[in-house]
């Protein structure tokens, strides 16, 4: 009986060791934003923000972001894109998603989060990249909610910084004037999933 138990125990240890050794590495989902100012790579955090990542990836895979601009750039704060074309027309996105701002991720420098209106569950396609630690955007921020972080820039933070420093002004659009719009368009030429 003792021999059988020892054999079973030894077999279990061997199986665990083999499974650990041959375990598939976690797949890192990385989105590449080719912009008119350089390339930005963003690693997505599906574990902490599954709904938001699904939403963002669907836009990327549809080619939704291709040709859109960073339309709101505020130095010492963030760069925002994903909703407007260079001529100032807004691009209609999908239905809004529920906020995942309570996922524990913080609006730290280099993180990407969803833009929204005063309704916490109103995010569609627009996103922003934090250029500083924006603790006031974390859950619970002054409005009782927060802005859902769902990834982090892993390459091209210098490009983000360069975009942050461009000259901005007021853009006349069919929806009224929009402030903090870059004088020279900063275009998302192409967005796609990086392959291993």
């Amino acid at each position: 009986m003792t021999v059988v138990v020892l054999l079973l125990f030894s077999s279990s240890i061997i199986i665990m060791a083999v499974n650990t050794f041959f375990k598939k590495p976690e797949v890192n989902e990385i989105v590449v934003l080719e912009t008119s100012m350089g390339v930005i790579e963003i690693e997505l955090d599906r574990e902490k923000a599954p709904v938001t990542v699904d939403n963002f990836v669907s836009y990327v895979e549809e080619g939704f972001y291709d040709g859109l601009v960073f339309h709101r750039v505020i130095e010492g704060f963030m760069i925002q894109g994903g909703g407007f074309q260079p001529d100032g027309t807004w691009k209609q996105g999908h239905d809004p998603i529920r906020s995942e701002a309570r996922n524990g991720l913080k609006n730290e420098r280099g993180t990407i989060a969803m833009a929204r209106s005063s309704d916490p569950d109103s995010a569609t396609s627009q996103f922003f990249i934090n250029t500083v630690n924006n603790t006031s955007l974390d859950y619970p921020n002054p409005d009782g909610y927060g802005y859902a972080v769902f990834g982090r820039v892993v390459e091209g933070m210098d490009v983000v910084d360069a975009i942050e420093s461009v000259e901005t002004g007021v853009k006349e659009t069919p929806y009224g004037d929009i402030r903090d719009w870059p004088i020279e368009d900063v275009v998302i030429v192409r967005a796609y999933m990086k392959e291993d």
Side-chain angles (χ1 to χ4, degrees):
M1 179 68 174
T2 305
V3 173
V4 171
V5 169
L6 284 174
L7 283 173
L8 286 173
F9 182 71
S10 299
S11 298
S12 296
I13 291 175
I14 291 168
I15 289 168
M16 286 171 54
V18 168
N19 286 340
T20 301
F21 185 77
F22 290 105
K23 184 180 176 185
K24 290 182 179 177
E26 290 184 18
V27 176
N28 293 336
E29 288 180 279
I30 295 177
V31 168
V32 180
L33 300 180
E34 289 183 3
T35 79
S36 54
M37 294 185 65
V39 176
I40 303 166
E41 294 189 6
I42 300 161
E43 184 174 11
L44 306 177
D45 193 333
R46 185 175 291 278
E47 181 181 348
K48 294 284 182 68
V51 172
T52 311
V53 168
D54 274 345
N55 178 69
F56 189 68
V57 168
S58 72
Y59 282 115
V60 169
E61 291 181 337
E62 290 168 17
F64 182 91
Y65 294 124
D66 300 358
L68 300 186
V69 295
F70 282 96
H71 65 274
R72 186 168 176 241
V73 172
I74 302 176
E75 194 165 5
F77 184 35
M78 55 92 227
I79 64 172
Q80 181 174 332
F84 287 89
Q85 300 181 73
D87 64 0
T89 56
W90 176 65
K91 189 170 182 181
Q92 174 72 48
H94 302 305
D95 291 338
I97 58 171
R98 69 174 171 81
S99 173
E100 292 182 305
R102 299 182 186 193
N103 62 17
L105 298 176
K106 305 297 183 186
N107 282 275
E108 299 170 340
R109 171 174 161 79
T111 58
I112 185 171
M114 293 305 296
R116 62 169 175 81
S117 69
S118 57
D119 176 356
D121 297 322
S122 60
T124 56
S125 64
Q126 292 189 43
F127 61 88
F128 61 91
I129 299 173
N130 292 289
T131 57
V132 296
N133 293 338
N134 287 312
T135 55
S136 65
L137 302 182
D138 295 337
Y139 170 82
N141 76 340
D143 71 359
Y145 297 95
Y147 290 78
V149 172
F150 62 98
R152 175 178 295 279
V153 173
V154 290
E155 292 288 341
M157 198 60 201
D158 57 329
V159 176
V160 174
D161 291 337
I163 295 171
E164 179 196 23
S165 67
V166 300
E167 184 182 356
T168 61
V170 177
K171 176 81 169 182
E172 291 182 15
T173 77
Y175 324 98
D177 292 347
I178 298 180
R179 299 178 59 187
D180 305 309
W181 191 294
I183 300 297
E184 292 187 20
D185 291 329
V186 181
V187 181
I188 300 171
V189 178
R190 188 165 77 104
Y192 57 92
M193 301 303 297
K194 184 176 184 178
E195 296 187 10
D196 294 336

